[in-house]
Amino acid sequence: MSDAAYRGNRSEDSSPGLAGTVHQHVQGPHHRAHRLFAAFFLFLFAGFLLLLWPLLDKLWAIGYGICPQRASHSYFLAGQQLPVEARMMGMFAGFLLSVFVFAGLGRSRAGRFPTWPIVLVLGLSAASMAVDGVNNTFYDLGLPHLYASYNPARLITGLLMGSAMAGLKSLRDSGPAARRAERSRAIR
């Protein structure tokens, strides 16, 4: 099917009797698979919410699988340690915030490769977390380090990394899988 027909544009190859008709994209088996996948995870999420544990215990169970949950690397809310450490909280928040900003700007379906200066900024954002993480490891092990480890730096480098992950997601989306995506840059 041509790109023009996929987008619902008037067909160049339509017969004279069909002139002016709009071709609709017929959904194939991959769309059903996506729907089944989404329904499966929606079912799991609903089941998770319906479990009889308190919500905070559920969040701790999720955090335990992805985060060491060290008190020295975590923030506290009303005296209760949050289920993920500061850097990971920053990564999640940075990613979600960036995705919402892209959507708000109408850039969520952009499929072109970002400009090289943007790719450089995204790379430096990711590198800042790597440098901070190595520095924090040295600090925790009592080895020579650049600066004392503290949560605001973890949160900021996590935010930068989360934003970089959302921006670099557009790199993945600009490949063959995004052939039918809008042909513009997510970040200009």
Side-chain angles (χ1 to χ4, degrees), residues 6-152:
Y6 174 81
R7 286 192 214 103
N9 295 341
R10 299 188 187 278
S11 174
E12 301 113 17
D13 56 46
S14 61
S15 65
L18 296 176
T21 61
V22 176
H23 291 266
Q24 297 295 322
H25 176 65
V26 178
Q27 293 183 357
H30 65 283
H31 289 286
R32 277 179 273 171
H34 286 271
R35 286 188 181 142
L36 285 173
F37 187 71
F40 174 73
F41 278 102
L42 186 61
F43 176 75
L44 284 179
F45 182 69
F48 177 76
L49 290 178
L50 294 174
L51 287 174
L52 299 178
W53 304 341
L55 178 61
L56 192 58
D57 290 344
K58 293 175 192 177
L59 294 175
W60 272 95
I62 291 172
Y64 183 76
I66 58 173
C67 185
Q69 302 172 330
R70 296 167 289 194
S72 63
H73 293 140
S74 299
Y75 281 110
F76 289 77
L77 183 65
Q80 179 68 39
Q81 181 182 345
L82 297 177
V84 292
E85 293 181 357
R87 184 174 290 118
M88 192 162 289
M89 183 180 3
M91 289 170 59
F92 291 142
F95 184 86
L96 287 174
L97 180 65
S98 296
V99 166
F100 287 134
V101 167
F102 291 159
L105 295 174
R107 311 303 310 147
S108 60
R109 295 271 304 152
R112 284 185 54 208
F113 195 84
T115 61
W116 285 107
I118 295 297
V119 172
L120 180 65
V121 168
L122 296 175
L124 290 173
S125 295
S128 72
M129 189 181 99
V131 168
D132 186 56
V134 169
N135 182 69
N136 287 343
T137 301
F138 286 179
Y139 179 82
D140 289 344
L141 296 175
L143 298 172
H145 51 277
L146 299 173
Y147 53 89
S149 175
Y150 59 107
N151 280 340

